Amino acid sequence: MDFTHIIEFIRNNLHQISHAYYEQIKKTELMKNYRRLSEKEVIAREERVFENLIEWLQTGASNDKAEKYFENVGAERFKEGFPLTEVNYALYITKKVFWSFIAWKKELFGFDDEEGGIDFSRIMEYVTILNNFFDLGNFYIIRGYIGELFEQLEETASMSKEEIKKILMHGAFDDNDFNKDEIIWHHI
């Protein structure tokens, strides 16, 4: 597939997309740790996500590229003390902002010819590949984050139930929605 137009669009709009992400972060109560970062840092982190998307598309959408980048992000966010749910939600916001920027821009998908015909199977292929980046991102972020958690557990040999809840769930649920003493043991 040819992603030239999408790559060019991302490059030309990188700061605007990243700034729109920052605006979403500022409004979202679930993003307490991200909101503590400076605007410049939030935007720089978001720009790195899209720079990696560009590289990922240019190199044939290889899982290896996504794996390395996002596992590092997960491990870094663990070390910084971000709850896993917040990191996961941050990538959701990235995906939401991205799609809002490219929605209805048929020229990005090669539909700017005179005929104007739309091949829905081709659109679905583009959408699937682009969504794979974000979905793989979530998977690898979780894997990197949990990997770093286990490394810490090996070093300290202990972690309290409260510490585990804080790093995995903080900010994701209304405290009244679940029994705090049982949530770790129940399947979702």
Side-chain angles (χ1 to χ4, degrees):
M1 297 213 69
D2 182 12
F3 287 94
T4 306
H5 297 298
I6 293 171
I7 290 169
E8 184 178 316
F9 179 83
I10 294 169
R11 280 192 179 126
N12 292 338
N13 295 280
L14 183 59
H15 189 74
Q16 294 89 333
I17 295 168
S18 298
H19 194 271
Y21 170 83
Y22 172 73
E23 291 298 321
Q24 288 291 310
I25 295 296
K26 281 188 350 184
K27 296 179 201 175
T28 307
E29 282 298 315
L30 296 175
M31 305 304 289
K32 291 176 183 163
N33 288 286
Y34 282 89
R35 289 183 13 220
R36 290 182 188 135
L37 299 173
S38 70
E39 177 178 351
K40 183 178 178 180
E41 180 62 22
V42 171
I43 290 172
R45 287 179 182 207
E46 185 68 354
E47 287 177 350
R48 283 193 295 273
V49 172
F50 284 104
E51 288 162 358
N52 276 276
L53 173 59
I54 289 169
E55 183 180 345
W56 185 75
L57 291 171
Q58 289 174 326
T59 59
S62 163
N63 286 3
D64 295 341
K65 290 280 184 192
E67 177 180 5
K68 183 177 179 182
Y69 171 68
F70 284 114
E71 278 190 359
N72 286 335
V73 169
E76 286 175 21
R77 297 305 170 267
F78 176 84
K79 291 174 188 173
E80 294 170 333
F82 283 71
L84 181 57
T85 52
E86 190 172 327
V87 180
N88 187 265
Y89 198 69
L91 193 57
Y92 162 76
I93 293 172
T94 296
K95 184 177 177 180
K96 179 179 153 186
V97 168
F98 173 69
W99 283 112
S100 73
F101 265 81
I102 68 167
W104 307 111
K105 292 181 175 58
K106 64 181 183 175
E107 68 277 6
L108 297 179
F109 302 98
F111 298 114
D112 55 353
D113 59 2
E114 298 109 31
E115 298 164 23
I118 296 176
D119 179 351
F120 287 105
S121 64
R122 190 166 151 204
I123 289 174
M124 289 307 299
E125 193 173 352
Y126 276 106
V127 169
T128 299
I129 291 169
L130 290 167
N131 276 332
N132 283 347
F133 176 77
F134 298 105
D135 295 342
L136 286 169
N138 273 322
F139 172 77
Y140 290 124
I141 282 172
I142 292 168
R143 196 160 83 175
Y145 191 98
I146 296 296
E148 197 62 37
L149 167 65
F150 285 136
E151 281 189 34
Q152 181 179 327
L153 284 171
E154 284 180 21
E155 290 174 14
T156 63
S158 71
M159 186 173 274
S160 73
K161 187 175 178 179
E162 285 303 312
E163 288 173 311
I164 292 171
K165 284 197 304 191
K166 183 179 179 184
I167 63 172
L168 294 180
M169 299 182 349
H170 182 71
F173 301 103
D174 182 344
D175 287 348
N176 298 322
D177 289 345
F178 60 89
N179 180 339
K180 293 179 191 178
D181 294 328
E182 296 180 9
I183 189 67
I184 291 178
W185 312 114
H186 284 232
H187 295 291
I188 295 176

